[in-house]
Amino acid sequence: MSKQLLSGNEAIAQGAWEAGVAVGVAYPGTPSTETLENFVTKDDVYAEWAPNEKVALEVGLGASMGGVRSLVTMKHVGVNVAADPLMSIANTGVNGGLVLLAADDPSCYSSQNEQDSRHYADFARILCLDPSDSQEAYEMARASFELSERFDTMVMLRETMRVAHTKTLVELSGERTAFEPLSYESHPEKYVMMPANAVRRTLSTNEREDALIAWAEQTELNRIELRDRSVGVICAGALYVHVREALPEASVLKLGVTWPLPPAKLAEFAQAVDKVYVVEEACPYLETRVRALGIDVSEPPAGRLPRSGEVTPAHIRAAFGIEEPTHFSPAEGLPPRPPAFCAGCPHRLVFVELRRIKAIVMGDIGCYTLGAVAPYRSLDSCIDMGASFSMAHGMELAGTAERSGRPVVGVIGDSTFAHSGITSLLGTVYNGGVGTLCILDNRTTAMTGTQGNPVNGVTLTEQAARVNPLDVPAGKQLDLVKLCEAIGVDEVIEADAQDAEAVRTALKEAVEHVDKLSVIIFKAPCRLIDRTRKPMPAIRDCRRCGRCIQIGCPALGRDETGHAVIDPNQCIGCGQCAQACPFGCIAKEA
């Protein structure tokens, strides 16, 4: 045995490897991403990025049917994308163990919504494990594959951002289970979900639910900790750690299994304490189900817990009327640090131009969502992966451009386009849509950490081996121009995203068309993968007009006299500011 300081994601990767998992599949998304990035570095495994979460889960099921153990990871909104196969897999069951890591994000640290993935486990009636720290994440990951095979079910391993990214000491065995692939036998009655088979498999699911409830009553993953019996708290996941910190004397029913719940153990705990409280975050998942079992749940004596966002020990103390320990006062007078495109980001000039032409911009999920904030303020929507093109088509059907006198433009990134934008574009073409759609091809999945995707052709294995993302055989890359042409797009334009004149010309020509569909592919690599620096521009005779400042580059600022200045520590010499200056006051050094 050895001890290591691991995040929850690292611990899950280690636990899966020790459990003998052979295949890992994912679409990257915070807070789940690092799990597969760690898993792929281990011996005797195969791991890949899928174009989206639905594909990832289907690949995982195929591997499971083929007889090996497989791990599929995604963030909470990705579970929505994978919901179609998820609901059927809940009935088919598995061959080799199949585990779905669902990483939730209370407080929306990197997401467009809050969501409790345990609702999917309840909906699908699949076993759900809920670790509270890295040690439990490791142990549950190891155990989940055997449980999957034992109960013939996919298992959801559900974590929150706090577990995924917090590092705690983990005691590891370090030994990999010698798992021999199970033989494959054809069972169409199990895996072919035509109505007659689906009805029979539902009966099997009913029987499995009964077996899982009986197991949940006995497993040590659910445990009663009796201390002060005047207060009894039911909790799970990271909230268990927070409850122990905030209410160290309280009795606790710690639920490591959050579907199915153990009715008898819940009743036993309720009888052992004077009052029962449920502490959870984001939604009343546990409280609703505990009340449905006939258990009286009390409100905290000093007020309700937050209805949304992360619940911290401070929130718990406040709800139970416990004085908060003294803390240092927060620093005052610090300048604000709003999110911004990186210095030299290839998305910047596109949004500068969209702002200039007063476009109505349907946005998508990616770094370019920052087009909504100052100084651009040129993004009107950001709903879900792939929505930009579909919503732009809807705007067209509503006649919005004609009535407003403003062009409607859809904007999507390369990875998101491969994820779910292709079908959106296909729908627009199929239905004779017109307008302007932009694909921002920065050669990577930038927002989640520069992962590979079908457009740049970098696989997860190559990413782990630190292959240069800009040096990939062209045959592996999705050719966006050929794809758009094959779908039937009327006009496909390529433009250099770092060339302000090219950006302006491409958009001007495209939005002037009222009878055709134009797709503009703006190409330039993300600054996180192309770190080439060029000489810093020189500023001479600045007129203090502020036009360069308005492009929002973090390397640009003003001195005490209002003149533009460039921070040499941030500037990468992209020349965007020089192109923005109307007076030629910014020029390259000789």
Side-chain angles (χ1 to χ4, degrees), residues 7-170:
S7 69
N9 285 341
E10 292 169 330
I12 290 168
Q14 177 69 21
W17 177 78
E18 291 187 14
V21 173
V23 174
V25 197
Y27 181 81
T30 305
S32 70
T33 307
E34 300 85 3
T35 310
L36 226 59
E37 289 180 330
N38 279 274
F39 180 77
V40 73
T41 64
K42 301 184 183 301
D43 297 334
D44 303 320
V45 301
Y46 172 80
E48 69 179 28
W49 295 131
N52 62 35
E53 294 85 358
K54 175 181 180 291
V55 172
L57 186 52
E58 291 160 348
V59 172
L61 176 61
S64 168
M65 286 181 63
V68 301
R69 290 179 168 178
S70 56
L71 171 68
V72 181
T73 74
M74 59 193 67
K75 66 184 295 178
H76 62 293
V77 287
V79 181
N80 301 331
V81 180
D84 195 358
L86 187 157
M87 297 306 297
S88 288
I89 296 170
N91 276 349
T92 66
V94 302
N95 188 20
L98 175 60
V99 173
L100 169 63
L101 170 64
D104 289 355
D105 189 18
S107 288
C108 302
Y109 287 103
S110 59
S111 308
Q112 66 268 41
N113 64 36
E114 286 187 330
Q115 187 173 302
D116 193 325
S117 296
R118 295 176 298 186
H119 286 288
Y120 274 108
D122 181 46
F123 189 14
R125 296 190 291 169
I126 59 173
L127 180 61
C128 182
L129 306 182
D130 212 330
S132 63
D133 58 17
S134 298
Q135 181 69 48
E136 287 194 349
Y138 160 73
E139 293 171 354
M140 289 183 182
R142 284 195 64 180
S144 58
F145 294 92
E146 186 275 329
L147 291 169
S148 174
E149 292 157 3
R150 175 180 168 186
F151 290 103
D152 191 17
T153 180
M154 176 172 63
V155 173
M156 176 179 285
L157 182 59
R158 182 255 187 182
E159 65 175 359
T160 59
M161 184 282 298
R162 193 59 52 191
V163 173
H165 290 160
T166 298
K167 292 200 173 190
T168 59
L169 278 175
V170 180

Side-chain angles (χ1 to χ4, degrees), residues 393-417:
H393 179 51
M395 279 272 186
E396 175 212 338
L397 298 179
T400 307
E402 293 82 359
R403 289 185 287 106
S404 67
R406 300 169 61 190
V408 174
V409 179
V411 176
I412 195 170
D414 53 329
S415 181
T416 311
F417 180 69

Side-chain angles (χ1 to χ4, degrees), residues 272-429:
V273 297
D274 296 340
K275 286 188 176 182
V276 173
Y277 304 91
V278 175
V279 173
E280 57 188 330
E281 59 194 1
C283 75
Y285 171 84
L286 290 175
E287 181 177 343
T288 300
R289 286 153 185 79
V290 170
R291 288 184 183 276
L293 291 170
I295 295 173
D296 184 22
V297 177
S298 299
E299 294 288 343
R304 290 180 60 87
L305 290 162
R307 296 181 62 184
S308 62
E310 276 199 295
V311 170
T312 67
H315 291 132
I316 299 169
R317 280 190 284 263
F320 282 84
I322 299 172
E323 185 177 348
E324 181 70 8
T326 302
H327 299 288
F328 287 111
S329 300
E332 298 180 357
L334 296 177
R337 296 190 63 185
F341 290 127
C342 300
C345 175
H347 299 332
R348 176 173 287 106
L349 296 183
V350 174
F351 283 98
V352 167
E353 184 60 21
L354 289 170
R355 177 186 64 194
R356 192 191 69 81
I357 65 175
K358 296 181 171 61
I360 298 172
V361 182
M362 299 293 98
D364 227 297
I365 307 296
C367 293
Y368 43 90
T369 306
L370 292 173
V373 303
Y376 317 102
R377 304 189 192 282
S378 56
L379 198 71
D380 294 270
S381 73
C382 175
I383 303 300
D384 68 289
M385 300 280 279
S388 54
F389 285 8
S390 307
M391 293 181 66
H393 179 51
M395 279 272 186
E396 175 212 338
L397 298 179
T400 307
E402 293 82 359
R403 289 185 287 106
S404 67
R406 300 169 61 190
V408 174
V409 179
V411 176
I412 195 170
D414 53 329
S415 181
T416 311
F417 180 69
H419 177 283
S420 48
I422 295 174
T423 48
S424 298
L425 177 59
L426 183 60
T428 300
V429 173

